[in-house]
Amino acid sequence: MRGWSFARASGIGTSAGLLAMLLWPFFRRFGGALTWPFAILAAIMGLCGLSILLVTLIDMLVRRRGARIRPLRGFDLAVGIAMVGLSLLQLQDVEGQLPV
C-alpha cells in the first residue's frame, strides 16, 4: 500500500461522502439516473473508511507510539467508523434499485 495513507484516504473518502450527501435527497426523490453515481460515491466513502481503519490498525500493531499519539489514533478510528457507517446507511437506500 505504498503511497496510500490516512490523509489520502480521508481526503478521497470525505470528498466522495460530501458528494454523496448532496446527491442523497435527489436520489431518494428521483432515483433513476442518480442510482449508479450515488452508489459509487457511497461505496468509495465506505472503502476509504475501511482503509483508514486498516491503516490505523497496522500502525497501532507495528509501531510503538507514545501517549500523545493515542488520541489521534482514537480520532482516526472514529473517522473510519463514521465513514463506514454512513456509507452503509446510504447503500441501504440503493439496495434493490440497481439493475443486475
Side-chain angles (χ1 to χ4, degrees):
M1 291 200 327
R2 187 182 294 214
W4 192 251
S5 65
F6 172 81
R8 184 163 288 156
S10 64
I12 292 170
T14 301
S15 297
L18 288 173
L19 288 172
M21 290 291 289
L22 289 172
L23 278 180
W24 203 355
F26 299 105
F27 164 75
R28 293 188 87 177
R29 175 131 174 119
F30 304 111
L34 296 177
T35 302
W36 279 107
F38 178 71
I40 290 169
L41 289 169
I44 289 171
M45 179 179 56
L47 290 173
C48 287
L50 285 174
S51 73
I52 288 170
L53 294 174
L54 181 65
V55 167
T56 302
L57 179 64
I58 290 170
D59 185 66
M60 289 170 56
L61 293 175
V62 172
R63 296 183 186 192
R64 211 58 189 154
R65 299 289 187 168
R68 295 178 66 183
I69 298 297
R70 287 189 192 124
L72 293 174
R73 293 299 160 242
F75 176 77
D76 296 348
L77 291 173
V79 167
I81 290 169
M83 283 184 168
V84 170
L86 182 57
S87 173
L88 290 174
L89 284 174
Q90 291 174 336
L91 289 173
Q92 280 181 344
D93 275 357
V94 175
E95 186 180 17
Q97 293 191 21
L98 290 175
V100 180

